[in-house]
């Protein structure tokens, strides 16, 4: 009788029981027609509804559950593929470095807490017509340990959550079958599957039955390299098969037959002047294999994509088809806010579209092998992949952020060798035929030892055509042989340069950099500059693609929200995209700095720098757009054929431009025709320059108004406006244009913004917390104001002594002109020993719901001084609500820099306008105050129908930073030193 042998969970020698050998991921069809219909009669899906029972521990599972006649009629239903936790049997848990049991069980590998080991049993009844067939079952993935039973008999056991578990089931097969799968949350593998992500379990990829004909190809190994100076292709195909008489192979390119050959084990084809594969031009050949059995009959048909390419390290530089490659990459977890680890094909289609549309050329499959469909997409549309083995043991060597590898696994422990080498072998065997995979990675953050070196060596032995990557050995230099590439994570530019300037012996990449958590990605352009400075600098991978928030009832949730304890909060949300796979304002920045064509405009010249390795700029249309004071003025386009990796300067036609206005000259590159997934006209990149200066005109001699200087207030009344200056409140308490009131709380100096995750990470929120109280409790107890009489127009100066004990203060001067313009000048006087502030500006709480606002500045996305490459000057319109970025945990957002003017529309009749004086401004218009943003923990906690509008006009705004979110400072050139003086001016006007 079948039993559940729980010893497997902790026995380091047992991680596979009865599993089939590891083979390539080719699909088998009866005929070409079946392949074209995408329906193979060899496959039978077992996806869909299963009966399900949950236990807090596998120890609670009685043997009756494993029997074939166990009554499942009253059990719950669960969907496959899917995650158990998202069916709410128990909470999904989000933890980063620590092990999920921290605080309730003392880590002691390979032992686990058997009493707290959530376990699900899946049941499915299915029929099989022909039970003489050789039938197998495949679970494409499943966490964390699977026990498989058929008709009450034990079939096998498997670990490794992200690779297939395949078993032969002939022995127990009947016409009516009962499949029973026990899925445990923890096995010893939990120690090496400690990735920073939601700990989700279940059968989250496809489950299916597949038969194999008698004559059958078990495994294919494609080697398709370039020869003769990367001109010709050489295809070598190694096949493992059974009962095969011969195989008829046809190689064709876009429907044109190149070669036909018959072979048995080894196919060798040379293709002259081959169309090579690269991410830029992902040319694939079709290899069709017709398998002939001993009776001369066709037994199966296989279609294999072949991409001819050579990836190598030559003179310490990584080359693709002979050219130095630079990865403009991103890390991608396999995640869906709906399905958890079950990512649908539609979501993957969206992911590849996103990558191609935003100039990403490389993806690291952080931190485990992905669904095969993802590799197929990357082959087809062109993405360089680092394919990573499912291994991370972060909690075994990092304790409270300090390195302590005293019980690190796998380290150099012989007992852990087999289990990790098996993962290398399996990853290689399944994924080896994908041209998109150019580098293998042995895992993530597992420290290093002889085992990591052996993993590296095994990859090298299995595959001579791809280098091996590992980052964690950077901490343990004696095991640096675990990698062929020098790879750091979150290294700052000077640290990278330090390596590159000191006799580097390996090519360099940042396997993770520019931590895109919430309002971040500041300063990413500094890394891009290294591309041209150092040959061995070969790019990096942004962390990461999308926020891993789980969406429940329209709420975006993160660690702790499921009462999961312990947890790591919103640290699972570090994506350039939000958790619903829509773009955050970081995307346009990434797209621009990752662009393969760099356009630098200087007056009437544009330099076109083609960073592509294989395509000339003849595929682009260059559009010149000229704006006059922000408005469309003229546009024309031109074509230019700049060869790969070269530059050319072209002249621009600026006829008609005068010296009195401001002109924006923008050149942008667009696709001339459809290209892969992208459509004709798609924007690749742009560059722009400004000629002249924007001016707002004010009649400085117009004093056509009345002034009433009363006891508490001074009123100034013009034709269409009135303004009340309060002597007691320290500012404007009423401002009306055409009778419409705009002031709730007076316009006052501001120094605080809702802290970003990066501000919290580098402790700016603490070290600069004094500015929070200065901002919230602005000191005007001294009631210092001064009306200046000798000016031509009404002038009043308020003085705010910010901190009683300090010398710092702010003077705000207002000048009122008869045409309704109010000039505001804010002057901050610094003092010693003050911490940096986030901004210096003026805040206005408007007691109304502003319908929309329009501005002339950088847009259309939110931007900051260290993140504005992807935005361009123009006139944009949006609403305060739309201006709230959807960072999962609300924080500072919505800023626009380089603003010349901004108009807030209440309705068709009334608007309030802000104009720059001599320098452009930072402006935000939001329905929430900085305090509401600071205290909300989730985006859904913010009031959905707010009544106020907050206008913030800043002369100075700190950058957002982005090197990492746990300490990296904002680059000093983007910080605001409060010991210095700052001054800026603007105008208020209204209608
Ligand atoms: C890295 C790690 C990632 C993720 C990231 C922080 O150390 O490899 O998995 O944890 O930091 O978001
Ligand atoms: Mg980690």
């Amino acid at each position: 009788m079948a039993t559940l042998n729980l010893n497997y969970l902790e026995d380091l020698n047992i991680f596979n029981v009865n599993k089939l050998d590891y083979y390539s991921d080719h699909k088998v069809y009866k005929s070409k027609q079946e392949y074209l219909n995408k329906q193979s009669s060899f496959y039978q899906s077992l996806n869909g509804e299963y009966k399900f029972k949950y236990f807090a521990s596998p120890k609670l599972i009685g043997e009756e559950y494993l029997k074939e006649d166990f009554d499942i009629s009253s059990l719950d239903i669960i969907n496959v593929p899917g995650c158990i936790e998202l069916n709410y049997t128990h909470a999904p848990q989000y933890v980063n470095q620590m092990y999920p049991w921290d605080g309730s069980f003392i880590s002691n590998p390979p032992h686990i807490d058997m009493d707290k080991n959530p376990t699900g049993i899946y049941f499915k009844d299915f029929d099989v017509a022909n039970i003489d067939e050789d039938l197998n079952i495949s679970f494409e993935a499943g966490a964390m340990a699977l026990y498989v039973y058929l008709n009450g008999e034990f079939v096998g056991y498997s670990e490794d959550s992200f690779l297939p578990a395949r078993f032969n089931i002939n022995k127990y097969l009947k016409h009516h079958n009962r499949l029973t799968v026990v899925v445990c949350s923890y096995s010893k593998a939990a120690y090496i599957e400690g990735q920073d992500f939601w700990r989700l379990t279940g059968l989250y990829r496809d489950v299916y039955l597949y038969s194999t004909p008698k004559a059958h190809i078990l495994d294919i190994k494609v080697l398709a390299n370039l020869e003769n100076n990367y001109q010709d292709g050489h295809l070598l195909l190694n096949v493992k098969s059974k009962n095969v008489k011969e195989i008829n192979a046809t190689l064709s390119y876009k429907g044109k037959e190149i070669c036909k050959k018959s072979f048995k084990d080894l196919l060798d084809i040379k293709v002259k002047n081959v169309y090579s594969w690269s991410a830029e031009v992902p040319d694939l050949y079709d290899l069709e294999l017709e398998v002939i059995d001993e009776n001369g009959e066709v037994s199966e048909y296989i279609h294999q994509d072949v991409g001819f390419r050579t990836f190598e390290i030559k003179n310490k530089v990584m080359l693709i088809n002979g050219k130095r490659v630079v990865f403009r990459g991103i890390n991608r977890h396999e995640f869906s806010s709906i399905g958890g680890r079950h990512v649908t094909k539609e979501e993957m289609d969206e992911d590849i579209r996103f990558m191609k549309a935003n100039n990403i050329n490389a993806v690291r499959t952080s931190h485990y092998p992905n669904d095969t469909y993802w590799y197929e997409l990357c082959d087809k549309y062109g993405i360089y992949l680092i394919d990573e083995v499912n291994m991370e043991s972060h909690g075994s060597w990092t304790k409270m952020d300090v390195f302590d590898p005293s019980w690190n696994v796998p380290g150099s422990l012989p007992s852990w060798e087999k289990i990790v080498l098996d993962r290398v072998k399996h990853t290689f065997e399944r994924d080896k035929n994908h041209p998109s995979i150019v580098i293998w990675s042995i895992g993530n953050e597992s420290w290093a030892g002889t085992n990591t070196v052996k993993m590296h060596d095994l990859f090298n032995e299995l595959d001579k055509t791809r280098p091996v990557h590992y980052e964690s050995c950077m901490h343990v230099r004696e095991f640096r042989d675990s990698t062929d590439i020098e790879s750091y994570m979150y290294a700052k530019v000077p640290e990278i340069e330090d390596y590159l300037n000191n006799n580097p012996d390996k090519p360099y990449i940042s396997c993770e950099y520019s931590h895109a958590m919430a309002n971040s990605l500041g300063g990413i352009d500094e890394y891009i500059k290294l591309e041209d400075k150092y040959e061995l600098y070969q790019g990096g991978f942004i962390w990461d693609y999308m926020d891993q928030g789980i969406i429940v009832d329209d709420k975006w949730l993160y660690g702790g929200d499921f009462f999961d304890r312990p947890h790591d909060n919103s640290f699972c949300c570090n994506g350039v995209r939000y958790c619903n796979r829509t773009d955050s304002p970081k995307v346009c920045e990434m797209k621009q700095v990752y662009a393969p064509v760099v356009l630098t405009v200087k007056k009437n010249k544009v330099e076109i720098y083609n960073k592509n390795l294989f395509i000339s700029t003849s595929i682009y249309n260059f559009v010149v757009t000229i704006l006059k004071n922000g408005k469309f003025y003229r546009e024309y386009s031109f074509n230019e054929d700049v060869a790969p990796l070269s530059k050319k300067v072209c002249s621009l036609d600026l006829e008609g431009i005068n010296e009195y206005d401001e002109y924006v000259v923008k050149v942008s590159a667009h696709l001339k025709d459809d290209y892969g997934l992208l459509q004709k006209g798609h924007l690749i990149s742009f560059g722009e320059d400004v000629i002249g200066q924007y001016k707002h005109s004010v009649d400085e001699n117009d004093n056509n108004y009345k002034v009433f200087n009363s006891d508490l207030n001074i009123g100034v009344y013009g034709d269409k406006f009135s303004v009340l200056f309060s002597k007691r409140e320290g500012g404007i308490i009423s401002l009306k244009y055409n009778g419409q009131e705009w002031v709730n709380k007076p316009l006052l100096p501001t120094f605080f913004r809702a802290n970003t995750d990066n501000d919290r990470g580098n402790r700016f929120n603490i070290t600069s917390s004094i500015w929070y109280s200065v901002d919230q409790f602005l000191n005007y107890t001294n009631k210092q104001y001064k009306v200046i009489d000798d000016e031509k127009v009404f002038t009043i100066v308020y003085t705010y002594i910010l901190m009683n004990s300090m010398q710092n203060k702010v003077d705000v001067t207002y000048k009122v002109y008869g045409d309704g313009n109010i000039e505001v000048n804010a002057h901050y006087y610094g003092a010693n020993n003050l911490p940096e502030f986030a901004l210096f500006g003026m805040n206005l709480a408007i007691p109304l719901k502003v319908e929309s606002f329009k501005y002339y500045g950088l847009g259309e996305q939110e931007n900051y001084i260290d993140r504005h490459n992807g935005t361009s000057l123009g006139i944009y319109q949006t609403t305060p609500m739309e201006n709230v970025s959807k960072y999962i945990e609300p924080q500072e957002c919505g800023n626009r820099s380089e603003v010349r003017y901004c108009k807030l529309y209440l309705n068709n009749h009334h608007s309030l306008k802000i104009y720059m004086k001599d320098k452009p401004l930072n402006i935000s218009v939001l329905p929430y105050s900085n305090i509401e943003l600071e205290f909300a923990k989730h985006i859904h906690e913010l009031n959905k129908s707010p009544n106020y509008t907050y206008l913030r006009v800043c002369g100075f705004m700190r950058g957002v930073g982005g090197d990492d979110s746990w300490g990296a400072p904002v680059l000093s050139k983007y910080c605001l030193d409060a010991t210095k003086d700052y001054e800026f001016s603007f105008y208020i006007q209204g209608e």
Side-chain angles (χ1 to χ4, degrees), residues 96 196 367 444-445 489-490 512 515 543 571 574 966:
N96 171 12
D196 173 9
H367 301 300
N444 187 52
E445 296 187 313
M489 44 171 79
Y490 309 106
E512 293 177 29
H515 197 250
W543 187 270
F571 202 64
N574 318 317
W966 47 91

Side-chain angles (χ1 to χ4, degrees), residues 94 96-97 194-197 331 333 364 366-367 388 392 394 444-445 471 489-490 511-512 515-517 543-544 548 571-574 965-966:
Y94 166 60
N96 171 12
Q97 294 168 4
Q195 288 94 342
D196 173 9
F197 61 175
N331 282 276
H333 263 292
R364 174 173 174 233
S366 53
H367 301 300
E388 195 150 271
E392 173 162 347
H394 209 159
N444 187 52
E445 296 187 313
E471 176 273 340
M489 44 171 79
Y490 309 106
C511 66
E512 293 177 29
H515 197 250
M517 185 174 192
W543 187 270
D544 64 343
Q548 294 177 59
F571 202 64
C572 50
C573 299
N574 318 317
S965 303
W966 47 91

Side-chain angles (χ1 to χ4, degrees), residues 1-4 53 55 57-67 70 121 123 149 180 182:
M1 197 174 66
T3 52
L4 185 62
K53 174 97 179 137
F55 296 87
S57 159
K59 283 159 72 179
L60 304 173
I61 300 175
E63 279 178 358
E64 66 277 15
Y65 286 92
L66 309 178
K67 289 192 180 147
F70 178 69
I121 311 190
F123 302 90
Y149 300 85
T180 310
V182 177

Side-chain angles (χ1 to χ4, degrees), residues 929-941:
S929 68
N930 53 11
I931 290 304
E932 285 170 285
L933 292 171
E934 173 69 20
F935 286 107
K937 288 281 144 211
H938 296 86
I939 191 90
H940 61 256
E941 291 165 18

Side-chain angles (χ1 to χ4, degrees), residues 144-177:
M144 182 174 278
L146 314 184
Y147 294 82
V148 181
Y149 300 85
L150 191 71
N151 300 326
E153 305 283 349
F154 175 65
V155 172
Y157 171 79
S158 173
E159 291 176 11
D160 195 341
S161 305
F162 292 96
L163 283 173
R166 293 184 178 151
F167 306 94
N168 186 277
I169 52 172
N170 271 21
K171 223 155 99 192
Y172 311 118
L173 203 62
K174 297 180 179 170
H175 286 296
H176 304 293
N177 297 279

Side-chain angles (χ1 to χ4, degrees), residues 188-306:
K188 73 273 188 185
Y191 285 100
I192 52 167
E193 294 187 17
Q195 288 94 342
D196 173 9
F197 61 175
W198 285 98
R199 308 307 168 104
L200 294 166
T201 63
L203 303 175
Y204 41 77
R205 286 192 202 144
D206 291 341
V207 179
Y208 56 86
L209 300 170
Y210 65 103
S211 60
T212 53
K214 253 202 160 146
H216 170 60
I217 294 184
L218 295 157
D219 183 70
I220 299 174
K221 188 172 174 194
V222 180
L223 277 178
N225 289 315
L226 302 183
E227 290 179 346
N228 298 333
N229 201 23
Y230 310 104
Q231 285 307 303
D232 304 332
H234 188 182
L235 171 67
L236 271 179
L237 204 75
N238 272 287
V239 159
K240 276 189 207 133
S241 63
K242 54 176 196 186
N243 310 319
V244 166
K245 186 166 163 218
E246 63 171 0
I247 302 166
N248 299 326
T250 313
L251 185 72
S252 48
Y253 175 74
K254 293 192 176 156
K256 200 174 146 239
E257 197 179 297
I258 307 289
C259 172
K260 237 187 164 122
K261 262 190 184 174
S262 292
F263 72 106
K264 196 153 174 206
D265 312 307
L266 184 71
L267 176 70
D268 188 333
I269 298 178
K270 299 213 171 184
V271 184
K272 278 249 167 254
N273 296 318
V274 76
Y275 293 97
S276 57
W277 184 97
S278 68
E280 289 169 26
V281 191
D283 264 324
L284 291 173
Y285 284 68
D286 300 290
L287 178 67
E288 297 173 82
L289 302 175
E290 221 178 46
V291 176
I292 309 296
D293 68 15
E294 274 139 4
N295 303 324
E297 303 278 311
V298 177
S299 73
E300 62 184 18
Y301 170 92
I302 292 166
H303 177 276
Q304 175 69 49
D305 283 334
V306 174

